[in-house]
């Protein structure tokens, strides 16, 4: 790997901090979330498996200091 393929540290004028140059092969644009993760959470919500058998009781119970 040559030295041009790596990130470099750059000084920021007027600041005590430094910043890194972008890594090779990356962009600063955000990427959309995985569709498989969204589909799995939608299926769980539709089937009602996101809540367990004790959820109602846990929501009602409050510690004594409340």
């Amino acid at each position: 790997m040559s030295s041009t393929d790596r990130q470099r540290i750059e000084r920021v004028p007027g600041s005590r901090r430094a910043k890194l140059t972008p890594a090779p092969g990356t962009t600063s644009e955000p990427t959309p979330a995985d569709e498989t993760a969204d589909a799995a959470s939608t299926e769980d919500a539709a089937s009602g498996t996101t809540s367990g058998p004790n959820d109602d009781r846990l929501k009602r119970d409050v510690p004594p200091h409340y």
Side-chain angles (χ1 to χ4, degrees):
M1 187 184 306
S2 68
S3 63
T4 58
D5 293 342
R6 300 188 63 184
Q7 287 180 300
R8 294 183 318 276
I9 299 172
E10 295 181 347
R11 295 184 67 122
V12 177
S15 176
R16 294 177 57 186
R17 297 186 181 264
K19 69 175 187 173
L20 288 173
T21 58
T26 61
T27 63
S28 61
E29 300 170 4
T31 57
D34 292 336
E35 293 179 12
T36 57
D38 291 339
S41 65
T42 305
E43 289 173 6
D44 288 344
S47 65
T49 59
T50 56
S51 62
N54 295 327
D55 284 349
D56 291 332
R57 179 179 174 204
L58 288 171
K59 289 178 184 176
R60 283 193 315 269
D61 288 347
V62 218
H65 64 278
Y66 275 19

